[in-house]
Amino acid sequence: MSDNALYDSFFALHHGLPRQGPGSDTTTRRLLALAGRLPERPRVLDLGCGPGRSALLLAAEAGAEVTAVDTHEPFLAELRETAAARGLDGSVHTLNADMGALPFPDGSFDLVWAESSVFVLGFDRALAEWRRLLAPGGTLVLTECVWTTEEPGPAARAFWEEHYRLRTVAGNAAAAIGAGYHVLGTVPQPDGDWDEYYVPLAAHADAADLAVPGMAEAVAGARAEIALRRDHGSDYGYAGFVLRPVDPRWRTRPETDADAAEIRRVVATAFGSEAAPSETEADLVEALRVHDAWLPGLSYVAEAPDGTVAAHAMITRCLVDGVPAAALAPVSVAPAHQRTGAGQAVVRAVLDAARLRGEPLVLVLGHPEYYPRFGFVRASEYGIKPGFEVPDEAMMALVLDGSAPVPPGTLVYPAPFGV
């Protein structure tokens, strides 16, 4: 049997499937929501688009102009036909190209999207090579197979060690942060996303003509994959990653002892003014540093180009009905650097640090028009409320680990907050 026969049979087996990997319209929408505000007509690059389920949704619901890339021309032809039938042929453009040798200039897209396809290059290579394609403020969205346990069983480990190197969600998030991205959010994909792929694939396998050269091998491979998922699916899964390159204008880092005086100045003038600094919040920062609520490595600064501290953000321990959580407060930007992106840079950096530390939940009491850009939603959606009166929309929560249950109940700040 030739390699060509197996290749042809593989694609014949997969032809007509609604999608070519685990996923769902619901997951696509969740990932799109995490990407945040987009331009009125965002430029989207969908890599490894297959028959274009995601491309069609992005064009229809985000008003996107989508460039859909795949190396299998029949998938692209199917996508063009479907797009035309839905009146989206002016919004979806196809290109037969290698995702590892893309012809686009730097900064061409607001959103680079790859559901169930990043394995072709590998997660780390994709992060390195696709970053240049993003316009300033652009977002990279990937879904990737991941370990869902630190100790996978021997059958799952043997299979994946032969086919593709997996990491945990936390491992991939750390790789993304190390590669110069902020993690805007991660989405553990439910079992139903696997069903949307494997149920139609199993039906195709049952109906396949095994006399076709290469088809028996293609069917055996598909059935082995499906059986592994059925028997060992608790060891691995799929997850989405929504990533944005760091703002190169601002260097962010954990605070050091040498920063204390500058941080005090920034906090005092941010909450007051240069002429009339507010010492209350500056005193709070210093009190938190020596309190049991202090979390080492979760007090961050953003540096101005001259090396001075332009912004500061701190996360400390709080409790929700006795369960440990994390509180983002205070966040301060020096008056000279307000509305320049310094605050966003330092908040994203300290949230990344909290994610790497394994903090599952961050809470903030703040401006309801500012913090949702980081993914915060009303804490009351999770049944969380503070033990004092505040507007419901001002008390917000951000789940960093979607695999962990979110504790409902009363939020208790550490004593230095005085509430």
Side-chain angles (χ1 to χ4, degrees), residues 312-355:
H312 171 260
M314 174 183 282
I315 290 177
T316 53
R317 177 67 66 223
C318 64
L319 300 174
V320 178
D321 261 16
V323 178
L328 172 62
V331 175
S332 313
V333 183
H337 298 292
Q338 291 175 3
R339 297 178 179 83
T340 63
Q344 290 192 54
V346 78
V347 170
R348 291 202 187 281
V350 78
L351 290 175
D352 284 339
R355 188 184 298 275

Side-chain angles (χ1 to χ4, degrees), residues 20 25 50 73 86 116-117 124 128 134 166 172 212 228 233 241 268 274 286 295 329-330 366:
Q20 295 297 317
D25 290 349
E73 187 59 37
R86 298 184 185 182
S116 304
S117 63
D124 294 344
L134 291 168
L166 301 190
N172 277 341
V212 173
L228 183 78
F241 298 84
E274 295 283 2
E286 295 184 354
L295 297 175

Side-chain angles (χ1 to χ4, degrees), residues 137 161 206 214 233 254 339 347 401:
E161 284 181 351
D206 290 342
R339 297 178 179 83
V347 170
D401 181 359

Side-chain angles (χ1 to χ4, degrees), residues 183-278:
V183 179
L184 306 191
T186 61
V187 176
Q189 295 179 228
D191 287 342
D193 281 17
W194 290 84
D195 293 340
E196 290 214 19
Y197 174 45
Y198 278 158
V199 170
L201 179 59
H204 279 213
D206 290 342
D209 181 357
L210 302 185
V212 173
M215 186 58 74
E217 290 79 3
V219 167
R223 286 176 171 162
E225 247 190 75
I226 293 168
L228 183 78
R229 176 65 190 172
R230 181 191 64 231
D231 297 337
H232 304 285
S234 61
D235 288 342
Y236 65 96
Y238 244 82
F241 298 84
V242 182
L243 312 172
R244 182 169 297 157
V246 300
D247 186 337
R249 299 174 299 166
W250 306 101
R251 176 176 178 254
T252 58
R253 58 173 176 79
E255 70 162 57
T256 67
D257 292 345
D259 297 317
E262 277 202 78
I263 290 173
R264 183 174 184 89
R265 173 187 58 79
V266 168
V267 176
T269 56
F271 283 91
S273 66
E274 295 283 2
S278 171

